[in-house]
Every structure is written in structure tokens, then in C-alpha cells.
């Protein structure tokens, strides 16, 4: 998925200053963003209050949308650097193609994990024909400095570890949870878990005290750490928790994201994650020149043009908004 904001902000984040060392409850509603002409998403990260949860640096939630009479998701070829993208579906299908020649249909319960590293281009579309409903999330993970120029790669994992509790089923999307480990490759300590709560579920999720966490209520209704969460909202939980109480009267779907606080300062703009303004400018120029990022074979349409850069330069350590 691409950040299709026509004037995306240049934002600096990372470091420990914003990490809550103790348990907190900060609730965010998503911000509605148009993703191309046919899809609207709710952006939970980055937001004005918080930009990172561990290495998780971007969270878009879309649907459930009825796309029976439309094209559904149509995200033309666009570039990424310095991050991993995680495609996770609750309902529907997404067709992923990239400049490595990867060509996969992603279905609910399957992990689509793309490591952009030095440079990659990909396109995401609803297949033809496609199921009537589309519901999912797109997540980005910041790569640590020592691996951010790694060769790009694509992983598709149809089988993920599942932890069953009474009235709850947890799928380990990325990282390690409750003794199970996702086959998806990670580059820093983090975890992503999809928790399906049946009606009358009341469970404790085991957490790592060193991680910071957030939960996103993807569907249904749930009480998180004693507080009811509105569908589509995210709650930042801070660090120093050994477990998290989750309950639901009528059933719910919850996404748990966590990780070791990301200590490096990062700069994000559009689909690029770097360490300086100059790197962002150089990546944009390379994409517009059409060189290092490669092509998505078999894609018939135009690729995305990069938006204009915001005026001014980042000051080291300074605010940019
Ligand atoms: Mn993308």
C-alpha cells in the first residue's frame, strides 16, 4: 500500500523521549485518508500524538468495504525504502506484485511481508474477479540502520502459528508470542498478533515488559485493560506490562502491536523511511528518474508520481510540522 496523501508531511520520529515507560492508556481515532480513487483508509499511525510503537511506524485500517460493483483496491506501482510492509487481511483478497517478480494473492490469515531495504517497487490491487468484501490492515516496520540497505525481499506465509485459548484464537503475524514464532523475518524485537475473541471471551494476553504496545480494535466490541474501545480506534499502552486483559461480550477482532522502543531517529516522507532530509530528496529524485527502483512486470497502467516535497528542510532534532 502507498501513502497517497498529495502533500504528505515530512516527519521526524524515534528515540525514547516519546515512549511511555509505564502502562498508560492513550486512545486514538483514525484519520480518514483517500487511497486512490476507490478506497478510503483510516490512518492510526503516524498521528499527531504518536508516531511509533516499537518499530511499527505506519498503520492503515480499511474496510469492511463492499467492492462488489467496483474495482476495489487499486494502488499503482510505487517505491519504498528503509522499511518492511505487512499486508494482513480479515476479508477479501489482494494481489501483490513487485519489482523482484513476486506475484502473489494474499488471503485472510496469510502474511504478505515485503522488505524494501535499499529499494523496491510494488503494486497492490483487488484481483478480477474479487470477493464482495475487503477488510484489512497495512502496517510498516522501520528497519534499523545497520540493515536498512539490505537487498529487497518478499515473503508469503500461508501458515502462521495459532495459539488457542478458551473463546479466543491468536494468530502470530510477526515476532514471538506465547511461545510461538512467526516465520516472517524481523530485524528488531517486535510482535504483531491478530486476536479473534468469541462472544463472552475474557482473556489475559502475555506481554513482554520491555516492549511498548498498542491495540487496534478491527471489528466488534471489546474492553481493553478495563476500558471499552470504539471500533476502529487504537489504544497505546506504554511499556512495563506483563499481560493485558481483553474481553468481549459479543465478539471482536483485535490487533496487538508491540516492540522494543525504537531508539534511532528516523525521517518518514511519503513511502520512504530514512535518516535525513537529503536521503528523502535523493530517493524521490531516483523514483522520478525511474532508475534504481525497478519495474512491476505485468502491470499495465501508470506508476505513481511522487508528490512535491514540503518547503523547508529538517533541522537536526527539530520539529518539522
Ligand atoms: Mn506500498
Amino acid at each position: 500500500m502507498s501513502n497517497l496523501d498529495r502533500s504528505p508531511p515530512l516527519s521526524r520520529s524515534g528515540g525514547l523521549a516519546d515512549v511511555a515507560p509505564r502502562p498508560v492508556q492513550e486512545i486514538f481515532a483514525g484519520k480518514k485518508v483517500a487511497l486512490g480513487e476507490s478506497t478510503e483508509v483510516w490512518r492510526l499511525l503516524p498521528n499527531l500524538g504518536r508516531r511509533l510503537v516499537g518499530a511499527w511506524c505506519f498503520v492503515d485500517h480499511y474496510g469492511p468495504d463492499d467492492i462488489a460493483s467496483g474495482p476495489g483496491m487499486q494502488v499503482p506501482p510505487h517505491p519504498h525504502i528503509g522499511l518492511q510492509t505487512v499486508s494482513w487481511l480479515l476479508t477479501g483478497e489482494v494481489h501483490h506484485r513487485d519489482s523482484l517478480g513476486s506475484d502473489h494473492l494474499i488471503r485472510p490469515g496469510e502474511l504478505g511481508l515485503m522488505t524494501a531495504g535499499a529499494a523496491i517497487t510494488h503494486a497492490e490491487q483487488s484481483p478480477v474477479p474479487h470477493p464482495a468484501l475487503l477488510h484489512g490492515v497495512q502496517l510498516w516496520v522501520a528497519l534499523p540502520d545497520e540493515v536498512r540497505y539490505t537487498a529487497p525481499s518478499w515473503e508469503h506465509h500461508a501458515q502462521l502459528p495459532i495459539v488457542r485459548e478458551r473463546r479466543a484464537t491468536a494468530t502470530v503475524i510477526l515476532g514471538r508470542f506465547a511461545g510461538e514464532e512467526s516465520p516472517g523475518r524481523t530485524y528488531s524485537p517486535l510482535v504483531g498478533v491478530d486476536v479473534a475473541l468469541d462472544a463472552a471471551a475474557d482473556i489475559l494476553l502475555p506481554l513482554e515488559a520491555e516492549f511498548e504496545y498498542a491495540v487496534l480494535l478491527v471489528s466488534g466490541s471489546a474492553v481493553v485493560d478495563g476500558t471499552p474501545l470504539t471500533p476502529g480506534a487504537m489504544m497505546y499502552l506504554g511499556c512495563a506490562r506483563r499481560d493485558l486483559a481483553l474481553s468481549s461480550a459479543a465478539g471482536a477482532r483485535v490487533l496487538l502491536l508491540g516492540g522494543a522502543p525504537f531508539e534511532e531517529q528516523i525521517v518518514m516522507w511519503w513511502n520512504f523511511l530514512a535518516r535525513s532530509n537529503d536521503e528523502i530528496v535523493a530517493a524521490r529524485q531516483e523514483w522520478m528518474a525511474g532508475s534504481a527502483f525497478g519495474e512491476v512486470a505485468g502491470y499495465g497502467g501508470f506508476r505513481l508520481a511522487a508528490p512535491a516535497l514540503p518547503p523547508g528542510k529538517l533541522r537536526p532534532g527539530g520539529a518539522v510540522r
Side-chain angles (χ1 to χ4, degrees):
M1 189 160 298
S2 171
N3 186 344
L4 292 183
D5 194 336
R6 292 310 299 166
S7 54
L10 192 56
S11 71
R12 179 178 285 275
S13 55
L16 299 179
D18 293 334
V19 175
R22 300 279 160 237
V24 295
Q25 290 188 356
E26 289 174 17
I27 297 177
F28 308 107
K31 176 191 166 198
K32 196 185 268 188
V33 178
L35 191 71
E37 292 173 3
S38 51
T39 310
E40 278 182 336
V41 304
W42 292 92
R43 180 147 307 150
L44 283 309
L45 271 188
N47 63 56
L48 285 176
R50 192 151 294 282
R51 305 192 186 283
L52 286 165
V53 178
W56 299 99
C57 59
F58 184 94
V59 176
D60 268 0
H61 175 213
Y62 52 91
D65 292 324
D66 185 343
I67 59 169
S69 57
M73 181 182 290
Q74 296 296 329
V75 184
H78 61 277
H80 287 289
I81 60 169
L83 52 83
Q84 293 176 292
T85 67
V86 174
S87 301
W88 184 250
L89 286 170
L90 288 90
T91 314
E93 295 174 348
V94 169
H95 183 197
H96 166 97
R97 283 182 286 184
D98 63 40
S99 48
L100 304 171
S102 315
D103 187 330
H104 270 110
L105 206 55
I106 305 166
R107 299 184 181 84
E110 302 178 356
L111 169 62
L113 176 63
M114 186 178 78
T115 301
I120 200 166
T121 303
H122 74 145
E124 294 151 298
Q125 294 172 285
S126 294
V128 182
H130 50 250
L133 289 180
L134 179 63
H135 187 193
V137 292
Q138 166 87 186
L139 315 166
W140 295 357
V141 177
L143 288 175
D145 193 45
E146 69 268 20
V147 295
R148 66 191 179 102
Y149 297 112
T150 194
S153 62
W154 164 255
E155 298 171 43
H156 178 247
H157 299 288
Q159 302 288 330
L160 296 174
I162 290 176
V163 182
R164 291 186 206 282
E165 281 255 346
R166 217 169 87 86
R167 302 186 197 281
T169 305
T171 306
V172 187
I173 302 170
L174 214 51
R176 178 178 282 276
F177 174 80
E180 300 285 341
E181 188 165 17
S182 163
R185 180 151 186 196
T186 56
Y187 294 87
S188 66
L190 59 86
V191 70
V193 185
D194 178 310
V195 185
L197 299 170
D198 297 339
D202 188 357
I203 61 168
L204 273 182
L205 298 182
L207 303 186
E208 305 284 341
E210 300 75 28
F211 281 12
E212 58 178 339
Y213 286 95
V215 292
L216 170 63
L217 181 58
V218 187
S219 69
S221 62
V223 176
V224 180
D225 193 26
T227 301
L229 207 54
T230 318
M234 179 181 251
M235 187 193 285
Y236 175 73
L237 295 157
C239 302
R241 293 173 183 267
R242 300 218 166 267
D243 49 44
L244 179 68
L246 272 187
S247 65
S248 177
R253 203 73 179 266
V254 170
L255 204 61
L256 173 75
L257 301 176
F262 199 77
E263 298 188 26
E264 299 172 33
Q265 295 281 325
I266 59 172
V267 176
M268 268 176 72
W269 178 80
W270 194 41
N271 297 306
F272 302 138
L273 195 153
R275 296 297 184 275
S276 73
N277 180 80
D278 289 350
E279 286 179 77
I280 296 283
V281 171
R284 182 183 183 280
Q285 278 172 353
E286 276 195 26
W287 171 249
M288 295 305 277
S291 51
F293 284 92
E295 302 290 333
V296 178
Y299 186 89
F302 293 106
R303 58 190 212 148
L304 279 183
L309 278 163
K313 273 207 161 194
L314 279 176
R315 288 164 296 164
V320 293
R321 294 190 80 108

